[in-house]
Structure formats: structure tokens, C-alpha cells
Amino acid sequence: VISEENLTVSSLESLATSIHHFFGRQDHFKLGTAMTVLLQQSDLLSGSAQKCAIIYLLYDMYRNEPITSNPFATVFAYLMLDKDQSSDIAMREKNLLPSLTSVEKHFLYQLIKGPPSKELLKKTPTQVANAEVDPNQVYDIDPFLEILRTRYIQTPLCNKSGISCVIADPDNEKSMTFDINEKSQVIESLLTGECSVVTKTFQPDFYCLIPPLLKCDSELAFMIPDDGEREFEWDRTMCTSNSVGLEVRRLIAKAFTGVLSSQEQQQVLSELEKDPKLVYHIGITPTKLPDLVENNPGVAIDVLLKLMQSNQISEYFSTLVNMNMSLHSMEVVNRLTSVVDLPPEFLQLYISNCISSCESTKDKYMQSRLVRLVCVFLQSLIRNKIINVQDLFIEVQAFCIEFSRIKEAACLFRLLKSLDPNESEQKEKEAKDSEKENE
């Protein structure tokens, strides 16, 4: 996938597609670890294009999660830092990672700030590596580092210790004489096999010593009463973070399962207004959108408006179209249509699905309720000139006739007839004929 020949003809999107085809999600971490080893052993890579390809693949495997939740986020952080810069997010392999060129650093910064533009994803790694950027450009990654620093502080000390089992050959000149076949053999021996060294680290064992018994000749022995049950007293303030991003992420997770209070909704909307890019780091994914719409439509509307520039917005629209029809889903779509221009094909498909939901509902009471909701929704779209009636005239007219017993359907039918150009021409013709007869 990351051979030199392939990197000159395959775009970044194509590389990611190949990786997802050959490897399942359960293999992503092992695959990312292997690619990190290749980054550390830079003499095994042929050039900048391969580094750019590896960096993008490390990002893409976890692109549906916030960048700070990516297990290789610390790799990105140290690649962005200069060798003389220090940080509190210690990493075992810090000194093994290579220094990036200005072009590579600019590319990585675009991924961290995310999401990357569609134009960037259509470029090949070779084109990315050969791009021109300002070598003196300054990159602000302090918010990114601050979140990693907060997470690092909470990591147990025993997990922070250890070094990699792979050590680079200090004789760089000899390494540079390797031909491509020798490099392939070294890479294969490092990364493959059941006992691959990639999956191992040299780490001290954690021992918990058994404390000696206390002699209590002159002290009272501790007694355990057996009268009734005891309850633990929890300190619920422990391990909590004051980070705004973590608090909004907690509220969004709560919003998937229940209704937020007005104060909590206002807090989420206020923080998203202050930092629109925060929406990419709070756990929102297309598969979770239906839960957010049903429980907190107001928050869902604001989140979708902030995601309009995302390269995943079509996936969110597709999820919205295919979810079960409800008052909240129509509220979200109606509000979106009044603020932004939605793709016509999305609206047409959504309306068709609403009509199909009404027709397939067996319960008469529920069916009547859904029909009323759809009719009011369609009247609002038509009166505000958000949809072209002629595109759905036949389907909506048949819907009105089928449910003509319902008052709202009859009103919608009359509205359609008043907008029908053929009906208008017929009325004008009848009026003219009447005037001639009177003369």
C-alpha cells in the first residue's frame, strides 16, 4: 500500500480505502503500532512521501473519533514539536521519532486541526510531499497539547515507564547502503510473525509488596462489627477535569440517552458558539445522530449547522433521511431548511420516506397523527418556497387523495391545486369564455 510506486498514483483517500479493505477495525491498533515503528526507523523509509502516507493512515484509522482520542495522538504531538522543545506528555519513543520538514509539518497540522479538505484528500502523498509552504510558519497546537497533558497526568506511573524493543542502528552510513530488498527483509522480520517485536516493550514489572502485620501489644486491635451492612462514601470529585471540552463531551454523551436540562443545553450551545471546531472533538458520529435528534433536537440542529463544512456531512444527511420519522426529526429538518440551503435530492428523499412511513403504519390513530405532521411540514416547505412543488407534485397529490379524510391533507391538496400551472390556465380560460358569453 505504501510502496513508492503506489504513492505516486494513489490519492490519500485511495490509500485509506485499501487499508480498510485489507484490515478490520480490530487490527487498526496493531497496524498503527507497526507504522509508528517505521516512522522511528527512518532509514527503512524511502522518503517524505512514505512519511506523509503513514501519518495520514494513522489519522484516518480513527478519523471518526476526536483527534485527542486517537491512540497515536502523542506521536502527532512530538512530530509537531521541535527537538529542542520540551513537553509534559512524555513518550517512550520521543527521541526515536524523526524531525519533520516544513511541508510534512504543515500537512500534519491540517490533520490535527481537521477535518482535512476534500482537495487535500484527492492528492497523492508524493504531491503532498512536493508542495511548497512557508518554512517560517508558526503552528498553534497548545489546545491539542493541553488535552493530552491532562490525560497524561491521569495515566498510572507504571504505564509511563518502559522503552521500545526496537533500537535503530547507530551506524547511519551503513544503514543508508541498504538496497530495497534488504529493507523489505528487515521490515518483514520486524513487523510479522506471532512473536513480532512490534507488540513488545521493555517495561519494569509492577510488584505490590505485602505489608507486614502490625504488632499491637499496647494498642487496641481493629474490630469489624457485623451488625448490618455498610455503604462506601464516594468522593465524586476525584479524577474529574475542569476542561471545557471534556465537560461538553460528557453532556453530549448524556444527550444521547436522555433529555438535557435547559441549563445544560445552553452550556453546550454556548461552548459550541465560542469554539465551532469543538464539535469535531465531542464524540458526535453519524450513527449516534438519531439518538441526539430524538432526545435533544435543539442541540442536534446546532451540531449539524456546525458540521456543514465537514467532509462527512453527506453521511449525517443520509442518517437523518433513513431514521424513523418523528416530530423531532421533522423539526430538525424544517429548522435546517430555514437556515441553510439543503441539497434538493436530500429533501425529496426525506419527503418520500415520510410519505412511505405514513402509508406503512398499521395503527390508525398513529397513522392519522403522522399524516397531520407531514402535511403541516410540507405546507411550511411549500409556502416558504424551499422545495419545488413540481418535483414531487404527483407523489404528494396521491398522498393527499389517499388521506383526504384528514383535514390537513385536504388543505395541502387545495394548496397544491392553487399552485398547479395547468389548473391556473384552465381557470383563466373559463373566465375568458364567461366574459365572451356576457358580451
Side-chain angles (χ1 to χ4, degrees):
V1 175
I2 60 171
S3 64
E4 289 184 75
E5 298 79 8
N6 192 37
L7 297 185
T8 60
V9 295
S10 298
S11 65
L12 294 171
E13 280 183 326
S14 299
L15 294 179
T17 301
S18 299
I19 287 294
H20 291 301
H21 174 73
F22 291 115
F23 299 94
R25 185 169 181 80
Q26 69 276 7
D27 298 320
H28 284 181
F29 183 75
K30 289 192 290 186
L31 180 62
T33 304
M35 289 192 288
T36 303
V37 170
L38 291 181
L39 274 180
Q40 295 165 357
Q41 316 302 322
S42 55
D43 55 342
L44 296 178
L45 299 178
S46 58
S48 180
Q50 283 190 330
K51 276 197 283 186
C52 290
I54 289 175
I55 289 170
Y56 177 71
L57 293 176
L58 290 176
Y59 162 82
D60 182 80
M61 288 190 294
Y62 299 91
R63 63 186 174 89
N64 291 328
E65 300 178 17
I67 187 67
T68 51
S69 297
N70 189 313
F72 302 99
T74 51
V75 176
F76 298 153
Y78 277 111
L79 287 173
M80 288 298 299
L81 295 173
D82 295 329
K83 288 295 184 182
D84 56 348
Q85 286 182 281
S86 61
S87 177
D88 298 332
I89 48 171
M91 175 182 169
R92 301 169 192 159
E93 297 84 0
K94 172 186 175 183
N95 296 326
L96 299 178
L97 290 171
S99 298
L100 296 187
T101 65
S102 56
V103 174
E104 295 163 354
K105 189 171 290 188
H106 179 74
F107 172 62
L108 176 54
Y109 182 72
Q110 290 177 284
L111 301 181
I112 293 175
K113 284 298 180 182
S117 65
K118 293 182 179 179
E119 291 76 13
L120 178 62
L121 300 185
K122 293 186 183 301
K123 292 183 179 181
T124 66
T126 302
Q127 290 174 327
V128 172
N130 293 332
E132 294 183 0
V133 298
D134 181 7
N136 298 319
Q137 185 173 349
V138 178
Y139 303 104
D140 179 21
I141 60 169
D142 288 339
F144 174 61
L145 292 176
E146 184 59 34
I147 296 176
L148 294 183
R149 193 175 292 116
T150 302
R151 189 174 67 185
Y152 174 76
I153 292 173
Q154 300 172 358
T155 304
L157 184 61
C158 58
N159 289 352
K160 302 175 186 178
S161 307
I163 60 173
S164 172
C165 287
V166 182
I167 301 175
D169 185 355
D171 189 356
N172 290 329
E173 293 184 2
K174 182 178 179 181
S175 299
M176 295 300 291
T177 61
F178 284 179
D179 61 32
I180 192 167
N181 292 328
E182 290 176 318
K183 286 185 179 181
S184 298
Q185 292 175 3
V186 173
I187 292 173
E188 185 175 350
S189 63
L190 285 176
L191 307 185
T192 60
E194 294 183 1
C195 299
S196 170
V197 292
V198 169
T199 60
K200 299 179 180 179
T201 56
F202 186 71
Q203 194 170 2
D205 294 325
F206 178 74
Y207 289 102
C208 184
L209 300 178
I210 301 175
L213 293 176
L214 176 67
K215 294 182 179 181
C216 53
D217 298 333
S218 59
E219 297 181 26
L220 291 175
F222 184 73
M223 300 176 63
I224 303 178
D226 56 356
D227 53 337
E229 297 181 354
R230 297 293 184 272
E231 292 183 358
F232 289 102
E233 289 293 333
W234 295 104
D235 182 1
R236 301 190 182 280
T237 63
M238 290 178 63
C239 301
T240 58
S241 173
N242 295 323
S243 171
V244 171
L246 291 178
E247 177 62 17
V248 175
R249 187 179 176 88
R250 183 188 68 80
L251 291 175
I252 289 294
K254 182 180 177 182
F256 292 140
T257 57
V259 180
L260 296 180
S261 67
S262 57
Q263 183 178 358
E264 290 172 329
Q265 287 190 38
Q266 189 57 41
Q267 182 180 355
V268 172
L269 299 179
S270 174
E271 295 302 335
L272 290 178
E273 188 63 31
K274 292 178 185 177
D275 184 10
K277 291 187 177 181
L278 185 62
V279 74
Y280 299 109
H281 309 290
I282 55 177
I284 300 288
T285 62
T287 55
K288 296 180 180 178
L289 181 63
D291 294 331
L292 186 61
V293 169
E294 289 303 325
N295 290 298
N296 295 276
V299 176
I301 291 168
D302 198 69
V303 165
L304 286 171
L305 290 174
K306 295 291 189 296
L307 289 169
M308 288 303 293
Q309 303 303 319
S310 168
N311 58 1
Q312 281 189 296
I313 191 61
S314 59
E315 296 180 34
Y316 286 98
F317 282 157
S318 177
T319 302
L320 193 57
V321 164
N322 294 310
M323 69 178 288
N324 294 333
M325 192 195 85
S326 66
L327 173 62
H328 286 168
S329 70
M330 282 193 286
E331 178 186 348
V332 171
V333 174
N334 194 31
R335 177 65 190 283
L336 288 176
T337 58
S338 65
V339 179
V340 295
D341 294 327
L342 297 179
E345 60 274 10
F346 161 75
L347 280 176
Q348 293 175 18
L349 184 57
Y350 182 75
I351 293 170
S352 296
N353 285 353
C354 287
I355 292 174
S356 298
S357 296
C358 292
E359 294 171 345
S360 61
T361 301
K362 302 301 181 184
D363 185 275
K364 292 297 182 184
Y365 172 77
M366 197 64 193
Q367 187 183 59
S368 299
R369 185 171 181 271
L370 292 178
V371 169
R372 290 189 180 95
L373 289 175
V374 172
C375 290
V376 173
F377 175 65
L378 287 174
Q379 288 183 59
S380 173
L381 295 180
I382 293 171
R383 288 197 171 96
N384 292 322
K385 298 181 179 180
I386 293 172
I387 61 171
N388 185 356
V389 183
Q390 302 307 318
D391 293 339
L392 293 164
F393 187 87
I394 296 176
E395 185 176 6
V396 176
Q397 181 177 249
F399 170 78
C400 294
I401 294 172
E402 182 180 357
F403 300 101
S404 57
R405 69 182 186 279
I406 298 174
K407 178 183 176 181
E408 285 78 2
C411 293
L412 177 59
F413 184 78
R414 287 195 294 272
L415 178 60
L416 289 176
K417 283 299 183 183
S418 68
L419 298 174
D420 186 4
N422 296 328
E423 193 77 8
S424 300
E425 290 175 5
Q426 182 65 27
K427 288 182 179 180
E428 290 178 5
K429 184 177 180 181
E430 291 176 357
K432 290 179 180 179
D433 293 340
S434 177
E435 289 177 2
K436 288 179 180 180
E437 290 176 1
N438 293 334
E439 291 175 358

